[in-house]
Amino acid sequence: MTKPLRVGVAGIGTVGAALIAQVAAQRAQLTARCGRGIEIVAVSARSKNKNRGVDLKKMKWFSDPVELAGDDSIDVFVELMGGSGDPAKTAVEFALASGKSVVTANKALLAKHGVKLAQLAEKSGVALNYEAAVGAAIPVIKTLREGLAGNSIDRIYGILNGTCNYILTRMEQEKLSFADCLKQAQDLGYAEANPAFDIEGHDTAQKLSLLASLAFGTKVDQSAIYVEGITSIAAADLAAADELGYRVKLLGVAVKTPQGIEQRVHPTMVRKDSSIAQVMGVTNAVTIDAEGINPITLVGPGAGGAATASAVLSDIADVARGVKAPPFGRPTAQLTSVRKAPMQRHEGGYYIRLQARDKPGTAASIATRLAEQEISLESIVQRHPKDGPSADTAKGSVPVILITYATSEDGVRKALAAVGRDKVISGRPQVIRIEKN
Ligand code: HSE
């Protein structure tokens, strides 16, 4: 039998510890599936003495991950440190340049330096695998790169951040505050070190940039993505969505349009009976619309130690088997630059919540401004609070909720700017895009 694959792991946090435990638990099965053993022979982390609940005694210890990356005692370097800068970047570059395959869960590194790292892997003839970087245990990278290698993809969209989906689910189901739900997500280990990264949509954007590259054969380009997070979502929006037959999800969407590729991350209204609306809690989901076949939706655990380690281990197994695909689905020379579709040209339905002056003529004035931009309304509801007039109502304003038919983003922005100038509303309008699904 071929010699065991010798693995070096840099970063032993929740994912690293789960990986070590999983390799031990699955030893016989992995050997049978890969035709050779998989052994973690070396590790690197910040603190040698921390108790991580796993036995590291038989593994060679490196305090410098870059040294581990270039060490001859390993065949594959697993990077679980995170971050787009050093030491992760230098360590991965060093491993690839010294002819070692790399497995990483690091979406930030790939979103920023993915193409250069793929070029380096290509030059050295080694693998650069990153299944864990998007959707943790969901095999979405392999699905796009291998399973759908023969299909043209029109659109890919998904719930790519467990923390945000957890928060929105808890707010909707338990009527809890945003802050309480975020705290719970942090306590459960779903959130990034800086949770602003999750709730402001950047984590989703990094993941979307990788999916878009795989789906459309473009260079990874996070700067081409329009990003809005979930911090402005209020209980009033979740309640209104529920009444109107929708749920609010933070979606990452990449879609082919006549103007180019539209890539966007924002809170989105999805119909309650759609597959994506059923996805609750920390669970992630990705829907792929490919030409000639019905949409494919993959659903699964998108964050947490065991879920992420599961994907890391599948990538290590590929290296053990000698399976190697181009990191972004085609040779890097074949990746094209993104032709970015401007967000102003986005077309779709919109949910708009306004705090409107409670006087005759207000609705007519708002409707006129929308009509000037050729925006057609599917519904308009003036929502008096169920428990009687609120303080706002007493002050002479009421919430008004509008649902538009498909229209342009530019038209909506112009119409709402005009409504603001008319002084018939107070505060900022809440706008949530509706995604067809
Ligand atoms: N903070 C991320 C999430 C972890 O909540 O989904 C997985 O990337």
Side-chain angles (χ1 to χ4, degrees), residues 104-412:
T104 178
N106 191 335
K107 63 227 153 186
L109 179 70
L110 291 163
K112 195 158 178 194
H113 305 291
V115 177
K116 281 206 177 118
L117 295 175
Q119 282 164 345
L120 209 52
E122 233 168 50
K123 206 168 148 201
S124 296
V126 294
L128 170 61
N129 294 343
Y130 56 95
E131 185 62 70
V134 183
I138 305 174
V140 62
I141 305 294
K142 288 187 178 71
T143 299
L144 284 168
R145 193 168 56 191
E146 288 138 53
L148 295 173
N151 300 73
S152 282
I153 291 166
D154 299 321
R155 177 174 67 155
I156 178 159
Y157 63 94
I159 295 170
L160 303 174
N161 185 271
T163 300
C164 288
N165 206 48
Y166 180 85
I167 292 172
L168 292 170
T169 302
R170 301 278 296 171
M171 281 176 75
E172 181 196 325
Q173 292 182 339
E174 313 290 334
K175 313 276 181 266
L176 292 173
S177 74
F178 184 91
D180 283 345
C181 299
L182 172 58
K183 170 85 180 42
Q184 287 173 1
Q186 285 176 298
D187 291 346
L188 290 164
Y190 304 145
E192 298 298 307
N194 173 6
F197 213 69
D198 295 293
I199 59 181
E200 287 169 7
H202 303 296
D203 178 78
T204 300
Q206 286 180 341
K207 293 167 180 167
L208 183 67
S209 72
L210 303 178
L211 296 184
S213 171
L214 286 159
F216 302 119
T218 49
K219 291 181 184 153
V220 184
D221 185 0
Q222 202 192 329
S223 70
I225 304 180
Y226 172 84
V227 184
E228 255 178 49
I230 61 166
T231 50
S232 75
I233 298 299
D237 299 313
L238 299 179
D242 186 41
E243 278 174 34
L244 293 160
Y246 291 95
R247 284 208 174 101
V248 181
K249 299 287 181 190
L250 181 76
L251 291 192
V253 185
V255 56
K256 251 189 225 162
T257 77
Q259 287 79 41
I261 310 272
E262 192 177 276
Q263 295 182 64
R264 48 193 164 85
V265 173
H266 50 73
T268 311
M269 294 269 191
V270 291
R271 291 216 60 87
K272 254 195 225 170
D273 56 7
S274 63
S275 312
I276 208 101
Q278 315 313 315
V279 178
M280 297 298 192
V282 70
T283 306
N284 281 195
V286 181
T287 296
I288 304 163
D289 292 344
E291 225 174 87
I293 55 172
N294 286 335
I296 295 170
T297 298
L298 305 169
V299 182
T308 311
S310 152
V312 170
L313 192 45
S314 82
D315 277 347
I316 297 173
D318 275 353
V319 177
R321 289 169 171 144
V323 173
K324 180 163 55 86
F328 296 104
R330 56 183 77 187
T332 51
Q334 303 292 323
L335 294 169
T336 58
S337 295
V338 177
R339 188 162 68 91
K340 176 181 167 183
M343 196 57 197
Q344 292 93 312
R345 304 280 296 274
H346 168 70
E347 300 264 341
Y350 286 78
Y351 156 99
I352 301 166
R353 177 169 57 83
L354 305 166
Q355 194 63 31
R357 185 185 65 177
D358 196 9
K359 281 195 181 156
T362 298
S365 156
I366 293 169
T368 302
R369 292 307 189 186
L370 293 167
E372 281 168 4
Q373 298 301 328
E374 296 182 5
I375 297 171
S376 180
L377 287 176
E378 186 183 303
S379 75
I380 174 164
V381 185
Q382 182 172 308
R383 298 182 76 244
H384 278 283
K386 281 189 189 120
D387 308 329
S390 67
D392 284 338
T393 315
K395 275 190 247 152
S397 79
V398 285
V400 172
I401 286 160
L402 312 164
I403 301 284
T404 77
Y405 286 111
T407 184
S408 79
E409 173 98 9
D410 193 41
V412 170

